[in-house]
Amino acid sequence: MAGPGAAAPRRAVRRLQERIERMRGLQDPEELVHEDIAFHADIMAASGNRTLASLADSVTQRTARARIWRALVTSDVLSWTHQQHMDVSTALRAHDSLAAFTAASRHVGDVELWVRDRLDAVRDRR
């Protein structure tokens, strides 16, 4: 029998799914980034790891403008973000920690690669 805390992960996964559905129809980059930041915060809160949540929040706040800029200049960022978030959410709903880790790592890695490519391009122009 599941304990009283067992409902918390189910509620967290349900909130993630609701957030993804809200993101699906967004066209405004700032709204998308706002929901994206909230999606990531919900995942961190659901982990129960306050240190990880604090670190993620720090990084999130420092990257918000770059995320908005990316949403403005990258044509498929809305569908790409939606699909990657769906991959994370699907793995979490299935309680597949390896798939969730893989999907989240791919998501973060893809964004990191995009940022590095932009920074390299700026450096190359100097």
Side-chain angles (χ1 to χ4, degrees):
M1 181 173 199
R10 285 192 297 272
R11 281 193 307 267
V13 170
R14 191 170 48 250
R15 272 196 314 270
L16 291 175
Q17 192 61 37
E18 289 166 1
R19 191 166 303 285
I20 288 171
E21 289 306 315
R22 280 194 302 275
M23 291 174 73
R24 180 188 307 266
L26 294 178
Q27 297 298 316
D28 180 80
E30 287 189 50
E31 288 180 40
L32 174 68
V33 171
H34 174 75
E35 287 295 324
D36 181 60
I37 288 170
F39 176 84
H40 290 261
D42 285 351
I43 289 174
M44 294 301 110
S47 77
N49 184 331
R50 289 187 217 169
T51 302
L52 178 62
S54 177
L55 289 170
D57 183 56
S58 177
V59 170
T60 295
Q61 299 311 315
R62 294 171 190 246
T63 62
R65 286 185 184 190
R67 289 170 166 192
I68 292 169
W69 181 64
R70 180 172 180 261
L72 286 167
V73 301
T74 306
S75 62
D76 66 339
V77 76
L78 297 170
S79 61
W80 176 87
T81 299
H82 180 74
Q83 183 58 55
Q84 291 214 339
H85 286 177
M86 284 298 299
D87 293 346
V88 172
S89 179
T90 299
L92 290 172
R93 274 195 325 271
H95 303 285
D96 186 338
S97 59
L98 180 58
F101 173 79
T102 301
S105 295
R106 183 180 63 241
H107 180 54
V108 171
D110 286 352
V111 172
E112 179 184 5
L113 180 61
W114 185 87
V115 170
R116 285 179 188 261
D117 286 349
R118 303 293 89 57
L119 291 174
D120 288 346
V122 168
R123 285 186 197 112
D124 290 346
R125 285 188 224 151
R126 291 182 185 170

